[in-house]
Amino acid sequence: MPELPEVETVRDGLERLVVGARVRDVEVLRGYSVRRHDGGPESFADQLRGRTLTGAARRGKFLWLPLDDASALLAHLGMSGQLLVRDGADPWVHPHLRVRLHLDASPSGATALDFVDQRTFGYLAVADLLPTPDGDDVPAPVAHVARDLLDPLLAPGTPGRAAVVAAVRRRRTGIKRALLDQTVVSGVGNIYADEALWHARLHHARATDRLRPVEVARLLDAAEAVMREALAVGGTSFDALYVNVNGESGYFSRGLEVYGREGEPCRRCGTPIRRSPFMNRSAYWCPVCQPAPRGANAHP
């Protein structure tokens, strides 16, 4: 699933290539891809025709293109969603094309924005922008999502980062579960959680309310650093399902320390990496660098 660095890579591409474009027409080829839009495919298309894309924003794994009428085109990429900026005159059509926006006056000269989604867990919707207590205007379905660790208001040393540390320690759960809770801090998914925990030398089952503030702060610093490193190389691609707006893959998978490396030596101590079941997924960890808490059996 695309995580924060992948979504930010897409957002950056949209900001550079389509902000300022006008939506001339909309084709919804699969109604399920706009299932979260109130009113269905016809309403979705009607609310976009004639509108100008005025920006590109993101919170956690959600991204949206504000429109010139106090609403926004909201996108969640799900497991395999892609937003591809294309030349609409090109006769080739992606086999998993779900929605196409025909554009005029795009700064890049592109004439189409395609939503491609093989597994169909992603979706698009038009939603009203609402002010939030923390000072942003976000689409209504995103109002519950916390800021992420790349947000300047959550930078190390700020009151925002201190508030996240306190929120994590108030939870009574395992630290990885808290890190994945998008109402605490957004944008961290399974891959980057495992990588951050390895860098911070913390086991995923450590109890949040037993961690010292300095340990939580170290973990958040590690998560931010890992995501910034991934962002610098375009995110993490394991297959063709994640690409940026130009259809290019990310390269951070080449630098993963633990995720997907079961049985391979830890690059810090040489101990074979282990994998544990975790929330219908997996947790990868080093038994020496990340010792399991006393009484735990290495499972959440």
Side-chain angles (χ1 to χ4, degrees):
M1 176 180 289
E3 298 185 21
L4 185 154
E6 292 78 52
V7 178
E8 173 60 19
T9 298
V10 174
R11 187 211 64 80
D12 177 69
L14 295 174
E15 183 174 63
R16 290 183 289 104
L17 299 176
V18 302
V19 169
R22 176 180 172 275
V23 181
R24 175 169 50 84
D25 200 5
V26 179
E27 295 179 82
V28 179
L29 290 85
R30 184 183 175 97
Y32 188 72
S33 293
V34 296
R35 63 190 179 279
R36 300 290 181 90
H37 177 83
D38 291 338
E42 291 187 7
S43 170
F44 174 82
D46 287 344
Q47 291 188 42
L48 285 173
R49 289 191 187 99
R51 300 268 66 89
T52 297
L53 309 176
T54 62
R58 176 192 54 75
R59 182 169 281 207
K61 301 175 189 179
F62 287 89
L63 65 87
W64 61 93
L65 297 170
L67 306 172
D68 57 358
D69 64 349
S71 67
L73 171 61
L74 174 66
H76 194 288
L77 301 181
M79 294 290 291
S80 60
Q82 302 170 7
L83 285 168
L84 302 177
V85 178
R86 294 178 46 78
D87 179 357
D90 185 344
W92 183 81
V93 175
H94 195 288
H96 302 297
L97 177 63
R98 309 304 183 192
V99 179
R100 170 168 283 187
L101 275 61
H102 295 272
L103 305 177
D104 289 331
S106 171
S108 64
T111 57
L113 176 59
D114 288 352
F115 179 62
V116 171
D117 191 9
Q118 178 177 333
R119 297 177 182 171
T120 70
F121 290 108
Y123 62 87
L124 302 180
V126 178
D128 291 336
L129 289 170
L130 301 176
T132 62
D134 57 14
D136 276 350
D137 289 334
V138 304
V142 186
H144 69 287
V145 177
R147 291 180 182 270
D148 61 67
L149 294 172
L150 302 189
D151 191 310
L153 293 183
L154 297 192
T158 63
R161 180 66 70 93
V164 176
V165 171
V168 169
R169 297 183 69 239
R170 283 196 300 269
R171 293 292 193 273
R172 292 184 176 272
T173 187
I175 183 57
K176 183 174 177 179
R177 288 178 180 267
L179 197 58
L180 296 177
D181 186 342
Q182 303 298 295
T183 67
V184 176
V185 61
S186 65
V188 183
N190 201 45
I191 297 173
Y192 298 116
D194 281 354
E195 293 296 297
L197 287 162
W198 181 85
H199 281 281
R201 297 176 180 262
L202 293 172
H203 188 275
H204 60 270
R206 289 280 301 276
T208 51
D209 57 341
R210 296 182 182 178
L211 289 171
R212 293 172 292 142
V214 67
E215 292 177 305
V216 178
R218 187 172 74 236
L219 174 61
L220 298 180
D221 290 348
E224 178 187 356
V226 166
M227 290 191 293
R228 288 194 184 279
E229 184 180 353
L231 181 59
V233 292
T236 303
S237 296
F238 291 104
D239 53 31
L241 294 185
Y242 162 68
V243 294
N244 66 18
V245 295
N246 295 319
E248 299 168 341
S249 297
Y251 296 99
F252 189 65
S253 61
R254 301 174 184 178
L256 293 173
E257 301 289 357
V258 287
Y259 187 87
R261 298 189 61 237
E262 182 183 12
E264 298 180 32
C266 171
R267 294 193 177 109
R268 192 159 48 202
C269 72
T271 305
I273 299 298
R274 293 186 186 177
R275 180 185 67 84
S276 300
F278 181 85
M279 297 173 60
N280 297 318
R281 289 175 284 182
S282 296
Y284 294 88
W285 54 288
C286 172
V288 172
C289 297
Q290 302 165 264
R294 183 176 299 177
N297 61 358
H299 296 275

